[in-house]
Amino acid sequence: MPTRAQLWKTCSLGLLILWGLQVFALDPRYALEHYGYQAWQTDEGLPQNTVHAVLQTRDGFMWFATEAGLVRFDGAQFTVFDKSNTSQLASGVINSLFEDTQGRLWMGTANGLVMYKNRQFQAFHEEDGLPVGTVFSVYQDHKGEIWGITAGGVARYENGHFVKLNGVPAASLMAEAPDGEMVFGTADGVWNSEARHLLFGEQPQALVYDHRGRLWAGMRQGLKLLLPGKGWHDFALPASLGADVMSLWSSSNGHLWIGTAKGLGEFDGNAVHVFLENDRISALFGDREGAIWAATGHGIARVVSGRVDVLTSQQGLSSNQALAFYEDREGSLWIGTEAGGVCILRDRKFTTFTSRDGLTDDLVRSVFQARNGTVYVGTNGGGVDVYRNGKLSALPEQGRLSSQVALALADDAQGNLWVGTPDGLNRIRPGGTRLFTSADGLADDFVRSLFVDREGALWIGTRRGLTRYKDGRFTSWSAMDGLGSDLVGAVIQDKDGSYWIATLGGLTHFAGEQFTNYALPEAVTALYQDAEGTLWIGTNGGGLLAREDGKWIRFPSARSHLPPDIYGILEDNRQDLWLGTNKGIYRVSKLDLHHLAAGVLPQLHPEVYGTSDGMRISECSSGGHPAAWKTQDGMLWFSTLRGVSVVDPARMPINHVAPLVAIEDVLVDDQPLPLSFTGEIAPGHTRFAFQYAGLSFTAPQKVRFRYRLDGVDRDWVDAGTRRTAYYTNVPPGEHRFHVLACNNDGVWSEEAAVFAFRLRPRFYQTWWFYLLLVLLLGFLVYGVYRWRVRHVESSFRAVLAERNRIAREIHDTLAQGFVAVSVQLEVVARLLNTSVDAAREHLEQARALTRDCIQEARSSIWNLRSQGASQDDLAASITNIAERMTANASVKTRILVHGTRRPVAPPIAAELTRIAQEAITNALRHAHAECIEIALLFEERSLCVSIKDNGRGFENHPERFRDNGHFGLTGMQERAAQLKGKFAVISTKGEGTEVRIEVPI
């Protein structure tokens, strides 16, 4: 439709202004078949296959206008907005797309206008001032004003609503002059927004201002030009173009391109040059390289420097009916089609020739360039093909080859072409073709490799040995002659004139008619020697090896990231090695390889090329030699399983556009979080997922990522091609998630996409909780310290109490006993001279007292060990002690027991007995008493023991006795305190003393 084409032109112009500094575009020197082509339809995620408009917004996303909704594309997945999930879209038919300078995306639909900003949709209808009917397009002029072009008229966006221009009944086209004048195509002609009048009364199909500011209008009945001050003039077109002008485009060089119902014309200011006669041109577009793209009735056409290339459905185009063109920020061309979905043309690094380009068989075994510059391609079943002047054709002598499987190719100085096959060696010369077999001296008919040395000798690698053809004679060697293995592959000549031979058993060096074998665990499949003399070796299973100055160097896959199987090795003019492998073609710097071997580099990151770069299949072929070749112009040719792939390292397009990166979704415990979220996340959430996209469409599958979450990751995390980052157990606090993207040529994003959030802590993760823990810990430490101090003090008191108890025991037993013994001995001493019998009696008493003391000592020791108690009751114990102590003294003792006698606990009885013993001793030694009365009063809850004498008494304070070395009273007080009893000493001088203790029982 002309209206859509014109809409597309204006949208493209606006974005070209925004990205005017970018110079990336499809290289016009290549044919259309060279470009990478990819299409997306409903099977890949589009909701519908008619795409009216394509647009890339400044955030990097691609947007498609379909008849079943709006589609956003990030290179990996489609997001569809339609009536089912977006209520603002009253119609699923999207006619146009436009992004204004504020980043708002406008959609013209079949039922109103919709604006998209910050993931929010806003609809505009008749009640918002928009003319009723279909919205064809939206435009923003140089003043920043938004214009809506609808079937019901033209409206301008002001303060959140639209204002309709009166007098404009219908419009579908628009154009803006360099001076800012706006014109619209209407049902009655062209409307001037400034002058508010119709310029003429016929409906135009296309409008455009040229570089001189002149307005051109394409009509059904011809082309009109508005000259300032002179009005409209008819512009004569060649008869071959007809009069039905459907599309117009003003190119950057000032030429006007005219698309009609019958062809394409270029007006250079002097004359109209006709292209594409008898073809309907419904839309025109000019890319950054100046190429003109045209939507024809039979595909798309490109015009560059007068050359026309056409791409149709027969060459792979998904639909011959193109509706919209768009050039993205990386220079790729997007095409919206009528029923074929959306497709893209990308600049590719490789050109691959297949059977569609004239190759007789897609499986290529060998490739070789002769001295005259002709490239020969050996196939697996189509014989040999010749590449001359950009065209492939079969070798004229194809039918005379011994086999159509061409495994090896070479030529010699005489101009002969040698072709090795499984059925012998073929020599092709202008005079005819000759076959050589084992009957002529070949080691075997199965020829796998060919090589011509500097002396002109032809070396032939076969299945059963090596053969040299020189001066018309064949000489063969096998394992019996010292060759490493009979199965021979590649052969090259060293700089010193010797030869290196790849065999199944490793590598063989042939010098001076002698073989030296280097056994390798892998079969050698490719050989190359560089200008410095380093021998590079490709193996089957062992990756890449090198031999330098007699030393072997291995490059482990874990560090080099090179595949284990290498079939061909080439070097470009920049000293990069190119490796043909079963996983693609690898490019790696020789300098980086040397640095890796020296330990300067920890790892390599080689460039890998595959189907996204122009190869039809990533796997290169093996079994033939040479499997790769560098031509005289620096081009590198690789044989693959689906054609021969060619790359020019000097002209290889490099994607220097840093990819934009976007965070698409944030999930917290599997629940989505709005990207506009600026608040706090409640505590208790543990699982976070960040889904992101790298918006590079040259090779989306090669986009790599790295990310970092502040507060969790110390450094960037290499995510490879994974598009989701997962985190568990994220600590509370402020966090920022950063993600960067890298395009297919290693260019990283200039700015990271960032999502900031704050996770509130649980109560036990707060500062005050930690402070409380610190305080509690401090109290605990202090409590332990105080417990320890009390424990030490208690132990000290226990030791002191035990010492005091022992002292009391000694004082109350041994000391008192020895006092009695001492008294008896003094009596014996006085009576020895006067009465021997009396002395003997007192001596016997002393002996008895001594025995009693010993018994008391034993009892005390037993009490110390077992804390056992006397078996006697308290009254009996005290009575026995009193009788023993007063046996030889003139002191009367009386024991009185009051109350109901009952058993007393042994520890209490022992202590009371000691107190009574001490009191009796004091009465005998110090009071000189004549009578001692001991009374035990048993009450309901207590026991009172009283020891009362009628001695001389005392007035002095008891502390005096302790100060004088007498501890009897102190001992009694301590024993009473241990029993928690009440102790009292009542004494009056001259009237006696009473020791009284009351203890609970």
Side-chain angles (χ1 to χ4, degrees):
M1 295 177 64
T3 57
R4 296 168 183 168
Q6 185 65 24
L7 164 66
W8 180 240
K9 179 261 180 188
T10 53
C11 293
S12 302
L13 274 178
L15 287 166
L16 284 173
I17 293 172
L18 291 176
W19 294 326
L21 297 178
Q22 302 287 350
V23 295
F24 309 104
L26 296 177
D27 191 337
R29 294 171 294 182
Y30 290 111
L32 292 181
E33 292 80 2
H34 164 81
Y35 301 128
Y37 178 82
Q38 186 176 2
W40 293 270
Q41 298 180 351
T42 53
D43 290 342
E44 288 77 32
L46 275 182
Q48 197 264 346
N49 284 333
T50 298
V51 179
H52 293 292
V54 181
L55 176 69
Q56 185 176 33
T57 49
R58 63 190 61 194
D59 58 9
F61 285 100
M62 297 300 304
W63 297 83
F64 309 131
T66 77
E67 293 186 355
L70 177 69
V71 181
R72 189 186 70 183
F73 184 49
D74 64 6
Q77 62 182 3
F78 295 92
T79 303
V80 179
F81 304 95
D82 55 23
K83 292 187 292 184
S84 65
N85 57 27
T86 307
S87 60
Q88 293 83 356
L89 287 173
S91 172
V93 179
I94 312 296
N95 295 320
S96 62
L97 297 173
F98 178 78
E99 184 184 28
D100 63 23
T101 55
Q102 299 181 38
R104 296 174 296 189
L105 178 62
W106 297 84
M107 291 149 271
T109 78
N111 186 10
L113 184 65
V114 180
M115 186 260 288
Y116 176 83
K117 179 69 173 179
N118 296 327
R119 295 202 170 197
Q120 299 294 324
F121 289 87
Q122 182 179 358
F124 298 91
H125 297 286
E126 188 176 5
E127 59 269 21
D128 303 298
L130 197 69
V132 66
T134 299
V135 178
F136 295 115
S137 59
V138 178
Y139 185 75
Q140 185 173 31
D141 62 22
H142 73 290
K143 300 176 183 178
E145 293 183 340
I146 301 295
W147 297 84
I149 317 301
T150 78
V154 179
R156 184 174 58 240
Y157 183 67
E158 296 180 0
N159 301 321
H161 65 280
F162 282 88
V163 177
K164 182 179 177 180
L165 295 184
N166 295 324
V168 185
S172 60
L173 302 176
M174 66 227 165
E176 181 181 13
D179 61 1
E181 180 186 82
M182 292 293 301
V183 295
F184 307 97
T186 73
D188 299 318
V190 176
W191 175 264
N192 184 318
S193 65
E194 299 292 335
R196 299 296 179 91
H197 66 272
L198 291 174
L199 301 181
F200 56 86
E202 183 182 353
Q203 172 65 36
Q205 298 186 118
L207 291 173
V208 69
Y209 278 96
D210 64 17
H211 68 292
R212 296 170 58 183
R214 298 179 299 178
L215 178 63
W216 297 81
M219 317 298 293
R220 291 185 181 276
Q221 301 302 321
L223 181 63
K224 291 184 179 294
L225 171 62
L226 178 63
L227 297 176
K230 297 182 179 180
W232 289 97
H233 291 266
D234 291 329
F235 185 86
L237 294 175
S240 59
L241 289 180
D244 190 358
V245 180
M246 305 183 68
S247 56
L248 295 172
W249 184 270
S250 180
S251 62
S252 58
N253 61 1
H255 294 186
L256 178 69
W257 290 84
I258 307 158
T260 74
K262 290 187 176 182
L264 175 65
E266 177 191 19
F267 177 58
D268 60 6
N270 298 312
V272 176
H273 305 279
V274 178
F275 303 90
L276 299 173
E277 293 185 19
N278 299 318
D279 210 341
R280 183 174 182 268
I281 310 301
S282 59
L284 291 172
F285 175 75
D287 66 18
R288 297 170 200 151
E289 288 287 347
I292 298 298
W293 298 83
T296 77
H298 304 88
I300 61 172
R302 182 192 62 179
V303 183
V304 178
S305 301
R307 186 183 79 249
V308 179
D309 292 324
V310 178
L311 185 66
T312 69
S313 58
Q314 293 181 349
Q315 284 81 42
L317 194 65
S318 59
S319 172
N320 282 333
Q321 302 297 320
L323 300 179
F325 294 100
Y326 184 81
E327 189 177 26
D328 67 18
R329 60 193 300 269
E330 295 172 294
S332 299
L333 185 70
W334 295 80
I335 305 165
T337 70
E338 177 65 39
V342 64
C343 53
I344 184 174
L345 290 179
R346 305 183 179 103
D347 228 343
R348 297 190 301 189
K349 295 175 171 57
F350 286 79
T351 298
T352 300
F353 298 104
T354 65
S355 56
R356 290 170 50 183
D357 306 294
L359 204 63
T360 53
D361 189 88
D362 281 342
L363 202 167
V364 177
R365 289 295 187 184
S366 58
V367 60
F368 167 77
Q369 185 180 35
R371 289 170 170 81
N372 62 7
T374 302
V375 177
Y376 295 93
V377 180
T379 70
N380 192 61
V384 178
D385 293 317
V386 181
Y387 182 78
R388 293 191 186 98
N389 302 321
K391 300 294 183 180
L392 276 168
S393 60
L395 185 71
E397 296 83 2
Q398 195 88 279
R400 294 192 291 272
L401 294 175
S402 59
S403 171
Q404 295 302 300
V405 179
L407 297 175
L409 296 167
D411 74 337
D412 56 27
Q414 290 74 37
N416 299 319
L417 176 66
W418 296 86
V419 181
T421 75
D423 298 322
L425 176 64
N426 299 266
R427 183 183 66 189
I428 303 174
R429 59 172 55 174
T433 301
R434 181 179 174 181
L435 174 65
F436 297 92
T437 66
S438 56
D440 300 296
L442 284 178
D444 185 61
D445 291 346
F446 198 104
V447 178
R448 302 182 69 247
S449 65
L450 293 174
F451 173 74
V452 177
D453 64 17
R454 292 190 290 271
E455 290 75 30
L458 176 66
W459 295 80
I460 306 138
T462 75
R463 192 171 49 183
R464 291 187 173 88
L466 176 68
T467 299
R468 179 180 63 194
Y469 180 73
K470 185 177 182 181
D471 299 328
R473 296 179 54 190
F474 289 97
T475 305
S476 296
W477 297 270
S478 67
M480 300 291 293
D481 304 299
L483 193 63
S485 171
D486 284 341
L487 186 62
V488 177
V491 180
I492 64 170
Q493 188 175 19
D494 198 293
K495 293 182 178 300
D496 60 9
S498 60
Y499 301 89
W500 294 96
I501 305 158
T503 73
L504 183 64
L507 187 63
T508 298
H509 187 220
F510 184 59
E513 300 297 318
Q514 297 291 325
F515 291 100
T516 302
N517 295 311
Y518 299 94
L520 298 174
E522 310 91 2
V524 177
T525 52
L527 295 173
Y528 170 75
Q529 188 176 44
D530 62 20
E532 293 78 24
T534 301
L535 181 65
W536 300 92
I537 306 156
T539 69
N540 186 11
L544 182 67
L545 285 74
R547 181 175 171 82
E548 188 175 40
D549 299 328
K551 298 180 180 178
W552 295 91
I553 304 173
R554 281 189 175 270
F555 305 95
S557 296
R559 296 176 57 209
S560 68
H561 298 102
L562 296 176
D565 299 334
I566 297 174
Y567 306 139
I569 304 174
L570 299 177
E571 181 181 2
D572 64 18
N573 296 330
R574 297 192 305 173
Q575 296 188 331
D576 288 344
L577 290 183
W578 293 72
L579 311 176
T581 78
N582 63 337
K583 296 183 179 179
I585 296 174
Y586 285 66
R587 185 184 69 178
V588 60
S589 166
K590 288 198 305 180
L591 182 62
D592 287 346
L593 286 168
H594 288 301
H595 286 168
L596 180 70
V600 177
L601 278 179
Q603 286 188 337
L604 284 184
H605 296 284
E607 295 290 334
V608 186
Y609 305 107
T611 54
S612 62
D613 302 291
M615 299 178 68
R616 293 292 184 262
I617 190 172
S618 296
E619 184 174 357
C620 295
S621 64
S622 62
H625 301 278
W629 193 266
K630 179 182 178 181
T631 56
Q632 298 164 6
D633 57 2
M635 305 277 282
L636 306 181
W637 293 64
F638 293 89
S639 57
T640 76
L641 299 184
R642 290 186 61 187
V644 57
S645 293
V646 186
V647 61
D648 184 356
R651 293 175 55 189
M652 186 173 63
I654 303 298
N655 185 4
H656 295 288
V657 180
L660 299 175
V661 61
I663 297 174
E664 295 194 277
D665 287 297
V666 177
L667 302 178
V668 180
D669 287 341
D670 299 326
Q671 297 300 315
L673 195 67
L675 294 181
S676 58
F677 179 80
T678 57
E680 296 180 337
I681 298 175
H685 295 289
T686 59
R687 291 179 290 111
F688 288 75
F690 301 90
Q691 297 175 359
Y692 43 81
L695 303 172
S696 173
F697 300 93
T698 300
Q701 66 274 28
K702 287 189 174 184
V703 176
R704 294 181 289 118
F705 302 90
R706 60 187 179 194
Y707 59 80
R708 185 185 73 233
L709 181 61
D710 293 343
V712 177
D713 299 318
R714 299 182 60 183
D715 203 352
W716 289 95
V717 177
D718 188 355
T721 59
R722 181 162 47 86
R723 292 173 176 253
T724 305
Y726 298 97
Y727 288 92
T728 57
N729 300 322
V730 175
E734 301 284 346
H735 296 285
R736 289 170 64 86
F737 177 77
H738 310 256
V739 59
L740 292 169
C742 172
N743 70 11
N744 58 308
D745 283 317
V747 179
W748 285 94
S749 305
E750 297 176 354
E751 293 183 2
V754 179
F755 181 82
F757 65 96
R758 182 179 184 274
L759 178 61
R760 294 209 317 268
R762 296 177 185 266
F763 76 94
Y764 55 78
Q765 295 174 316
T766 56
W767 64 268
W768 56 265
F769 182 80
Y770 291 130
L771 178 61
L772 180 61
L773 286 181
V774 171
L775 293 176
L776 290 177
L777 181 61
F779 283 124
L780 179 62
V781 171
Y782 179 75
V784 171
Y785 167 75
R786 291 301 305 161
W787 173 84
R788 178 62 180 168
V789 169
R790 288 194 298 270
H791 177 72
V792 171
E793 291 177 347
S794 175
S795 299
F796 178 76
R797 287 193 298 268
V799 171
L800 183 61
E802 186 65 15
R803 289 178 58 189
N804 292 336
R805 190 178 73 83
I806 294 173
R808 290 193 300 271
E809 290 291 334
I810 294 173
H811 178 273
D812 295 342
T813 56
L814 293 178
Q816 298 294 348
F818 284 121
V819 168
V821 171
S822 175
V823 172
Q824 296 299 326
L825 291 177
E826 288 179 358
V827 173
V828 169
R830 288 195 300 266
L831 294 176
L832 281 176
N833 295 326
T834 58
S835 176
V836 176
D837 293 335
R840 183 179 294 112
E841 182 179 352
H842 284 284
L843 185 60
E844 287 296 331
Q845 291 180 3
R847 289 176 61 190
L849 289 173
T850 301
R851 286 194 298 270
D852 291 340
C853 288
I854 294 173
Q855 183 62 34
E856 289 288 343
R858 288 174 178 173
S859 298
S860 297
I861 293 172
W862 174 257
N863 291 334
L864 288 175
R865 290 182 176 272
S866 63
Q867 297 296 321
S870 174
Q871 297 299 320
D872 297 333
D873 62 8
L874 179 60
S877 296
I878 294 177
T879 300
N880 291 335
I881 289 175
E883 289 178 351
R884 186 175 67 247
M885 295 181 66
T886 59
N888 297 311
S890 57
V891 178
K892 295 181 180 180
T893 303
R894 185 170 62 174
I895 305 297
L896 301 175
V897 177
H898 304 283
T900 303
R901 181 183 296 187
R902 56 185 183 273
V904 179
I908 299 176
E911 295 298 330
L912 293 175
T913 302
R914 298 306 179 196
I915 294 173
Q917 181 179 347
E918 178 64 21
I920 294 171
T921 300
N922 290 337
L924 293 173
R925 295 182 60 184
H926 305 295
H928 303 295
E930 295 179 354
C931 179
I932 299 174
E933 182 179 281
I934 301 172
L936 280 71
L937 176 60
F938 288 91
E939 295 182 348
E940 182 178 359
R941 296 182 178 275
S942 63
L943 170 63
C944 180
V945 179
S946 171
I947 302 96
K948 184 176 180 180
D949 64 62
N950 59 352
R952 59 184 181 179
F954 59 88
E955 293 180 356
N956 296 328
H957 194 277
E959 290 293 330
R960 176 186 175 190
F961 294 95
R962 185 174 62 186
D963 295 339
N964 293 333
H966 301 284
F967 293 93
L969 290 177
T970 301
M972 287 188 287
Q973 289 177 340
E974 291 176 352
R975 291 181 186 274
Q978 286 187 351
L979 297 177
K980 299 182 180 180
K982 298 178 182 179
F983 177 79
V985 177
I986 304 169
S987 178
T988 303
K989 189 174 181 179
E991 296 182 2
T993 301
E994 180 183 4
V995 175
R996 185 181 183 88
I997 178 170
E998 182 178 357
V999 297
I1001 60 173

